[in-house]
Amino acid sequence: MLNISMLKTIKAMLTVLLIVSSSAAIPVFANEQQGQIAWQKINGNATLIDVRTAEEFTAGHIEGAINIPFEHIVAELAKLNIAKDTEVVLYCRSGRRSGIAQNALIEQGYTATFNAGGLDTLMSTR
């Protein structure tokens, strides 16, 4: 038979398990939602930019993407004469570099940028 101490321990363990499992589900949903939004924009003819290195781009990328390494994003978009209100979707390997690129574009007045995150995650939501 279970005593009160054992029941309290089981209750505490179940509470921790519930908290951990519910918090783990949130990022998956957020990534899925982020990917769905990105694909809506891409399918709506947004300019798609892969901000990884040329080597990473050559190893595999989304069809139609332009490769501009994140460090050169502002200068290259200016060279390409892309208007600051053009819908631009950025991605990289994990979302970190595309986030840096997005911030740089926002600082320069670009108003319609979207960080789609990492390539693998983005492809899994297609």
Side-chain angles (χ1 to χ4, degrees), residues 10-58:
I10 291 170
K11 182 180 176 184
M13 290 171 53
L14 288 173
T15 301
V16 168
L17 182 60
L18 178 64
I19 291 169
V20 169
S21 66
S22 64
S23 66
I26 293 169
V28 171
F29 176 74
N31 285 340
E32 183 177 312
Q33 187 177 31
Q34 181 180 10
Q36 290 171 352
I37 293 168
W39 284 112
Q40 286 174 352
K41 292 177 181 296
I42 294 165
N43 292 333
N45 295 321
T47 299
L48 180 60
I49 302 175
D50 182 326
V51 299
R52 300 175 302 154
T53 64
E55 293 80 16
E56 289 172 299
F57 185 80
T58 300

Side-chain angles (χ1 to χ4, degrees), residues 34-111:
Q34 181 180 10
Q36 290 171 352
I37 293 168
W39 284 112
Q40 286 174 352
K41 292 177 181 296
I42 294 165
N43 292 333
N45 295 321
T47 299
L48 180 60
I49 302 175
D50 182 326
V51 299
R52 300 175 302 154
T53 64
E55 293 80 16
E56 289 172 299
F57 185 80
T58 300
H61 60 274
I62 297 173
E63 186 177 336
I66 301 167
N67 181 225
I68 303 173
F70 78 101
E71 313 91 327
H72 306 291
I73 192 72
V74 173
E76 291 299 318
L77 285 189
K79 282 182 191 176
L80 292 171
N81 210 19
I82 294 178
K84 291 187 176 185
D85 63 348
T86 300
E87 191 86 41
V88 175
V89 174
L90 307 155
Y91 74 90
C92 62
R93 186 186 56 79
S94 68
R96 185 184 71 77
R97 289 176 284 179
S98 51
I100 293 169
Q102 180 184 33
N103 288 337
L105 291 173
I106 290 170
E107 286 176 9
Q108 294 301 312
Y110 287 84
T111 59

